[in-house]
Amino acid sequence: MNNEQIPELFRDEYTEYIYDVTCFGEPINPDNADDVTSGISRAIELEARPVFLEGVSARLTQLGVPCSAEDNELMLTEVKRRYKEILGFSCPRTVQEWIKGTTPGVTNRRNHYDLCYALEMDFQQTAVFFQKHYLTMPFNVKSNVDAVFMYALYHKKPYSAVTELLDKSKGFVSQENAHTSTSQIISTILDIDDDEKFLRYLSEHCYNNEQQFQLARSIISDEIETVRSILLRYEADRILNSERLGSLTIEALLGVKYQGSGKKNKDSKLPKRFTESLPNDVTLGKIINGDVASYDLLRKTLMLLKFYNFYYEAENNDPNTIGGNLMDFYEELNSVLISCGFAQLYVRHPFDCLLLYCANSYDPIDTLYCVIQNGRN
């Protein structure tokens, strides 16, 4: 999805301080324990922010129901009313729990879109809400549900049309040999303003998980090869076989050796949104082999690889150079994320914030290692 289709996430009252102080303030020193713990503390503070409820309350206020993120009962009453009047059915228990304070999950994206419809958001408002308040990507058009909602929102269809389109597309079968790019699918869907033509096109462009995010998987594979070429140059004595090379790749990205699920540190000091879906030997192998991989895993793996390869060669010797490199890295990474259809960099996401915090240092890679190690101790 390109810049013309999804609006840029501009700075706002929530992000200005994070940009100026946490991500683009004075460069940090990985040898200074206070600098490392300060970054972790700020990310934990972000994790505790009710970003979803802040988005809902802001939207309801725009719609004439003044409220704040703490007004759960008021928001719940209004959202329930809107589900009944606009969507024609009762607000699901899952969404009610979100309004009460539970973090929205990622499994049933129809709930996410339905709430946006209930809050009378348009195409661009929905795209921004997904990235800023659900903290995930909007419009994964290789999924039927996402494709239907993107089509309906872009062409300003009523919710009754959404329901009909979803019902008619339920039986569509994944096309194993279909390889149309995401950008081409988006462009075509946005050009179609006829429900039957849209359904015919959608029936020919259904994809399972393994067929999604092909550009991201391709870029990840290329970036892995770059990491491995570095390892073969400087760590040849530690590489005994291909499996060992895989372990060293993870060690290069995270600064720690792979640990199986049974050895995870349950007392991690790092935010959950940072630690969940980090790559390991097994999941990296799944990505390389084209197996099922979650969006969060793919996005974080891509970001870590770009971070390592960019800063392995960079010289961060003085504040001006650090700032210039950081801006270059930010723009390069954001461009890649957008080209893959992923959520843009957003400094209120604890993972994005901590990665940029580490980039703003005299040794970004070592700073990331220190952050992860500190969080595990």
Side-chain angles (χ1 to χ4, degrees):
M1 204 166 292
N2 60 38
N3 285 312
E4 289 74 30
Q5 293 153 350
I6 294 297
E8 182 181 349
L9 300 183
F10 293 108
R11 295 189 183 192
D12 55 30
E13 68 273 21
Y14 298 119
T15 61
E16 196 68 37
Y17 174 82
I18 304 171
Y19 274 112
D20 291 343
V21 178
T22 302
C23 298
F24 294 92
E26 287 295 316
I28 64 173
N29 185 347
D31 294 328
N32 186 327
D34 288 341
D35 280 358
V36 173
T37 55
S38 175
I40 295 174
S41 296
R42 292 175 188 180
I44 290 174
E45 289 173 7
L46 287 178
E47 179 100 311
R49 294 286 303 184
V51 291
F52 168 72
L53 294 177
E54 287 171 349
V56 173
S57 61
R59 181 58 182 162
L60 287 175
T61 299
Q62 290 175 346
L63 294 170
V65 183
C67 56
S68 70
E70 291 74 35
D71 295 326
N72 303 78
E73 289 303 320
L74 174 59
M75 287 190 288
L76 184 57
T77 299
E78 179 62 15
V79 167
K80 283 181 175 180
R81 183 188 71 79
R82 288 178 162 274
Y83 265 76
K84 280 285 190 180
E85 293 187 5
I86 297 175
L87 306 188
F89 58 88
S90 298
C91 179
R93 181 175 296 277
T94 297
V95 178
Q96 292 185 43
E97 292 302 317
W98 294 352
I99 304 297
K100 292 176 182 178
T102 301
T103 301
V106 295
T107 52
N108 184 359
R109 285 169 67 89
R110 179 170 178 175
N111 281 335
H112 298 69
Y113 287 112
D114 281 348
L115 178 59
C116 291
Y117 249 94
L119 295 176
E120 300 180 74
M121 295 185 197
D122 61 20
F123 173 76
Q124 290 205 338
Q125 288 168 333
T126 299
V128 170
F129 194 89
F130 262 72
Q131 295 179 91
K132 283 192 170 186
H133 302 291
Y134 289 135
L135 297 183
T136 191
M137 66 175 291
F139 306 128
N140 173 20
V141 293
K142 288 190 174 181
S143 159
N144 281 7
V145 170
D146 287 68
V148 166
F149 274 100
M150 190 189 79
Y151 168 79
L153 284 162
Y154 186 81
H155 295 289
K156 300 179 174 62
K157 303 286 183 179
Y159 189 76
S160 57
V162 173
T163 303
E164 184 177 348
L165 291 169
L166 288 172
D167 286 342
K168 289 182 177 180
S169 64
K170 276 182 181 177
F172 290 171
V173 179
S174 296
Q175 307 296 309
E176 293 184 6
N177 297 319
H179 299 291
T180 308
S181 69
T182 299
S183 59
Q184 180 59 50
I185 294 172
I186 291 170
S187 178
T188 302
I189 290 176
L190 297 187
D191 284 341
I192 297 173
D193 193 7
D194 178 274
D195 292 359
E196 292 306 316
K197 287 182 180 179
F198 166 71
L199 286 171
R200 282 198 298 274
Y201 184 79
L202 185 60
S203 69
E204 298 168 355
H205 295 84
C206 296
Y207 298 83
N208 57 31
N209 180 281
E210 292 90 335
Q211 293 172 296
Q212 296 177 16
F213 309 121
Q214 289 299 307
L215 177 59
R217 289 174 183 269
S218 175
I219 294 173
I220 286 172
S221 294
D222 290 343
E223 295 291 333
I224 287 173
E225 287 306 309
T226 301
V227 173
R228 290 182 173 179
S229 69
I230 293 171
L231 293 174
L232 288 168
R233 247 186 296 161
Y234 300 107
E235 302 282 352
D237 58 323
R238 299 176 63 195
I239 300 171
L240 303 177
N241 52 47
S242 59
E243 289 186 6
R244 180 62 177 150
L245 185 56
S247 297
L248 288 175
T249 301
I250 294 298
E251 192 174 336
L253 297 184
L254 303 176
V256 294
K257 296 180 180 179
Y258 167 74
Q259 292 190 352
S261 58
K263 297 181 180 179
K264 287 182 180 178
N265 186 350
K266 296 180 180 179
D267 299 320
S268 174
K269 301 173 187 175
L270 293 167
K272 182 180 178 182
R273 286 191 184 274
F274 182 91
T275 58
E276 63 185 1
S277 298
L278 285 177
N280 58 42
D281 284 10
V282 175
T283 56
L284 193 66
K286 287 183 176 181
I287 295 173
I288 293 171
N289 295 329
D291 297 334
V292 174
S294 71
Y295 159 74
D296 279 338
L297 170 64
L298 290 168
R299 184 176 185 269
K300 287 181 179 179
T301 301
L302 175 59
M303 292 173 70
L304 288 167
L305 286 163
K306 296 295 291 186
F307 179 86
Y308 181 85
N309 288 331
F310 183 94
Y311 280 108
Y312 190 86
E313 302 292 345
E315 294 288 341
N316 273 19
N317 296 324
D318 60 79
N320 288 335
T321 304
I322 291 171
N325 284 339
L326 177 52
M327 291 305 301
D328 289 345
F329 172 68
Y330 184 98
E331 292 175 5
E332 178 182 317
L333 179 56
N334 211 32
S335 176
V336 171
L337 290 173
I338 292 170
S339 71
C340 293
F342 289 172
Q344 301 170 45
L345 282 168
Y346 186 49
V347 294
R348 295 188 80 201
H349 192 302
F351 183 84
D352 297 18
C353 179
L354 261 182
L355 198 66
L356 293 174
Y357 181 80
C358 294
N360 184 34
S361 75
Y362 290 92
D363 190 339
I365 294 174
D366 190 45
T367 303
L368 178 62
Y369 292 170
C370 290
V371 163
I372 293 175
Q373 191 61 47
N374 185 287
R376 291 161 59 91
N377 292 335

